[in-house]
């Protein structure tokens, strides 16, 4: 029965991700936006369009660091996109943003499910979140990659915290605690606003039993 439940959860998360991708896939046809896309991305081939990926990584992490916020993961992801799709091709950058958003929506469903242990509640929450217009900016704007990444790693961190609270043994609690710290680090180098996540985790711990009804 547990295997059937896990399979249903996995399929539901995948379908939610596919729905999110479908809703925003038109963003992959967009050009660079005449806002910060040019100033932060297109105007810096010395970071994202080096002869090799290794040279780009060195430029991002050593030569020109820090540039604005310490957005290392965002910059590294752009360097990879540039190698795969071409530095001057905006569609690749936009398509990866859509993929990140799809992952975020699937993780949101898993996060609510982990908190409430109620499949129907998690499905309803994800269904209500899918069409929200608030998602448009970070998906359609290449610069919004940092928001998508910090949300993804933040949700993963909170899932790890929730699992730590549910774990019956000290060893499993320690594993999830360490995982939550690593995910917090990844969130912080995605966007500095992740600094509030420990407070969210504390609130989650305080309300943990109440969220289970």
């Amino acid at each position: 029965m547990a295997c059937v439940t896990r399979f249903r959860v996995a399929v539901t998360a995948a379908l939610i991700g596919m729905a999110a991708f479908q809703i925003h896939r038109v963003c992959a046809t967009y050009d660079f936006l005449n806002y910060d896309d040019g100033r932060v991305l297109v105007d810096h081939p010395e970071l994202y369009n080096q002869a090799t990926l290794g040279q780009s990584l060195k430029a991002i992490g050593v030569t020109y660091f820090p540039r604005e916020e310490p957005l290392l993961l965002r910059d590294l992801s752009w360097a990879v996109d540039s190698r795969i799709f071409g530095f001057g091709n905006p569609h690749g950058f936009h398509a990866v943003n859509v993929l990140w958003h799809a992952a975020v929506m699937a993780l949101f469903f898993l996060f609510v499910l982990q908190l409430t242990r109620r499949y129907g509640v998690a499905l309803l929450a994800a269904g209500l979140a899918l069409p929200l217009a608030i998602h448009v900016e970070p998906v359609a704007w290449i610069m919004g990659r940092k928001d998508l990444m910090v949300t993804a790693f933040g949700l993963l961190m909170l899932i790890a915290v929730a699992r730590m609270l549910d774990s019956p043994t000290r060893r499993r609690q320690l594993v999830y605690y360490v995982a939550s710290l690593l995910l917090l680090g990844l969130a912080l180098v995605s966007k500095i606003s992740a600094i509030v996540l420990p407070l969210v985790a504390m609130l989650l711990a305080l309300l943990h039993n109440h969220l289970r009804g």
Side-chain angles (χ1 to χ4, degrees):
M1 185 65 179
C3 292
V4 174
T5 302
R6 285 197 293 268
F7 178 76
R8 182 177 68 166
V9 168
V11 169
T12 304
L15 289 174
I16 289 171
M18 291 169 62
F21 185 90
Q22 181 68 20
I23 290 171
H24 291 88
R25 67 186 178 90
V26 67
C27 296
T29 66
Y30 293 168
D31 202 344
F32 293 111
L33 299 187
N34 189 22
Y35 189 49
D36 279 355
D37 286 353
R39 181 178 64 85
V40 179
L41 173 60
V42 181
D43 291 348
H44 293 281
E46 76 280 4
L47 292 175
Y48 310 111
N49 197 33
Q50 292 276 6
T52 66
L53 179 60
Q55 290 175 336
S56 287
L57 300 184
K58 180 181 178 182
I60 291 167
V62 179
T63 308
Y64 296 99
F65 180 81
R67 193 158 61 101
E68 355 163 22
E69 299 176 57
L71 304 175
L72 276 176
L73 284 189
R74 183 207 65 182
D75 287 349
L76 294 177
S77 72
W78 280 353
V80 172
D81 291 352
S82 181
R83 300 301 300 177
I84 295 174
F85 304 106
F87 178 64
N89 176 14
H91 307 312
F93 294 99
H94 282 298
V96 174
N97 268 26
V98 179
L99 287 172
W100 271 102
H101 174 62
V104 164
M105 293 309 304
L107 287 171
F108 177 68
F109 164 75
L110 295 174
F111 169 63
V112 177
L113 182 62
Q114 182 67 41
L115 249 59
T116 64
R117 293 291 179 90
R118 298 175 182 176
Y119 177 85
V121 171
L123 186 60
L124 176 62
L128 292 174
L130 272 173
L132 286 180
I134 195 172
H135 301 315
V136 173
E137 180 181 325
V139 181
W141 182 30
I142 294 173
M143 277 285 295
R145 177 78 58 87
K146 59 186 178 182
D147 298 297
L148 298 168
M149 297 181 82
V150 72
T151 304
F153 290 120
L155 285 171
L156 283 169
M157 175 207 162
L158 294 175
I159 290 171
V161 170
R163 291 197 171 187
M164 178 187 71
L165 296 171
D166 288 332
S167 296
T169 65
R170 289 291 182 88
R171 181 176 180 181
R172 292 189 64 183
Q173 289 173 357
L174 179 61
V175 169
Y176 284 121
Y177 177 70
V178 172
S180 70
L181 292 180
L182 293 175
L183 290 163
L184 173 61
L186 292 173
L188 285 169
V189 292
S190 297
K191 189 176 181 180
I192 197 63
S193 59
I195 197 169
V196 303
L197 282 172
L199 295 177
V200 178
M202 290 175 61
L203 184 62
L204 173 60
L206 289 172
L207 298 177
H208 180 250
N209 290 333
H210 298 286
L211 291 169
R212 293 288 168 82

